[in-house]
Amino acid sequence: MARQDRALRTRRAILEAAASVFEEKGYDAAKLTEILERAHVTKGALYFHFASKEELAQAVLDAQTREGTVSLAQPSKAQEFVDLGMVFAYRLTTDPLLRGSIRLALDQGAGHVPYRSRPYKEWMDICVGTLREARVNGELLSHVDPVESGELFVGAYTGINLVAQILGRRDSLENSAASLYRHLMPSITLPAVLSTLDLRPERGRDVWRQANGMVTSGI
């Protein structure tokens, strides 16, 4: 068990080191030697977990939806839809693994990495599925197509991420995400539902901490 735990910690250290290098330099300019130095592991340890730079990049990409979502049921599925993006915006301010994943997903230099589009498709599936549940609950306006709205949202959210990255304004992402929801939700939710939604920039932080058993007030 101790050996397995050590292997998991080593793998995590490699992933986080790789993510930080990918975020700073992009896929093409990232060097395995620098990743090894940041992770404080040997080349043999790296190749034990990842056969190549491409495989390592894919593992960073795959962490995006696995670690970027939070499971915290709300009375309103529309609120859960909001929480998906707000939690992710908060996590991007604190989690280098997710930031590296985003950089890879947007990096044209990583175009030959297999399944680079997978995070986008997974986010679309998650958003569409949540909106379909909201429709079943009678929370959406009658004309709303969950597929159309979910895919449009992922595209718009990707856009604000890209702008934040280009302008070096990652710390403003929570405000941008809240603004996106304030513009989007009135066009898809019933007024009675809209009036109950928490669209504050701090919403992601509060939900994340609640999901992890942390006190949110006064922090």
Side-chain angles (χ1 to χ4, degrees):
M1 183 63 70
R3 182 178 298 178
Q4 183 179 13
D5 289 343
R6 186 165 57 250
L8 289 173
R9 289 195 299 271
T10 299
R11 187 179 191 276
R12 181 72 184 193
I14 294 169
L15 279 177
E16 291 181 351
S20 67
V21 175
F22 288 140
E23 182 193 10
E24 293 171 17
K25 301 188 174 181
Y27 179 81
D28 283 341
K31 303 299 183 185
L32 289 178
T33 52
E34 186 169 0
I35 293 171
L36 290 173
E37 290 174 3
R38 295 197 190 188
H40 303 291
V41 300
T42 65
K43 184 181 294 186
L46 186 148
Y47 283 114
F48 175 80
H49 292 281
F50 305 101
S52 64
K53 179 179 170 182
E54 284 186 4
E55 187 174 305
L56 179 54
Q58 189 63 60
V60 172
L61 279 167
D62 289 344
Q64 188 176 136
T65 51
R66 184 183 67 250
E67 301 199 12
T69 55
V70 61
S71 179
L72 190 62
Q74 302 292 341
S76 165
K77 290 297 178 180
Q79 183 67 66
E80 289 186 21
F81 176 70
V82 170
D83 292 350
L84 286 169
M86 294 309 302
V87 167
F88 194 69
Y90 169 68
R91 296 291 312 288
L92 282 174
T93 67
T94 61
D95 192 325
L97 179 54
L98 295 183
R99 291 197 299 269
S101 178
I102 286 291
R103 173 65 189 269
L104 283 173
L106 297 173
D107 188 353
Q108 295 303 310
H112 59 286
V113 176
Y115 311 116
R116 191 168 67 99
S117 64
R118 187 155 57 195
Y120 294 104
K121 294 176 180 177
E122 290 177 348
W123 278 116
M124 286 179 184
D125 288 344
I126 292 168
C127 289
V128 169
T130 305
L131 287 176
R132 281 174 171 161
E133 292 182 271
R135 183 175 62 183
V136 171
N137 287 357
E139 299 176 34
L140 304 185
L141 295 168
S142 59
H143 69 275
V144 173
D145 178 356
V147 175
E148 180 181 56
S149 297
E151 293 183 354
L152 178 64
F153 173 78
V154 172
Y157 198 95
T158 300
I160 65 173
N161 258 305
L162 180 59
V163 170
Q165 178 176 295
I166 292 173
L167 298 181
R169 295 178 180 174
R170 181 68 71 194
D171 58 347
S172 69
L173 186 56
E174 290 169 280
N175 288 324
S176 297
S179 178
L180 176 60
Y181 280 113
R182 288 196 301 270
H183 283 79
L184 172 67
M185 299 312 287
S187 68
I188 67 173
T189 55
L190 293 171
V193 175
L194 180 65
S195 65
T196 69
L197 298 180
D198 184 350
L199 304 176
R200 298 174 299 121
E202 301 82 12
R203 174 67 182 181
R205 178 203 65 186
D206 292 347
V207 171
W208 175 253
R209 293 180 175 179
Q210 184 181 353
N212 287 277
M214 301 166 65
V215 177
T216 59
S217 61
I219 298 180

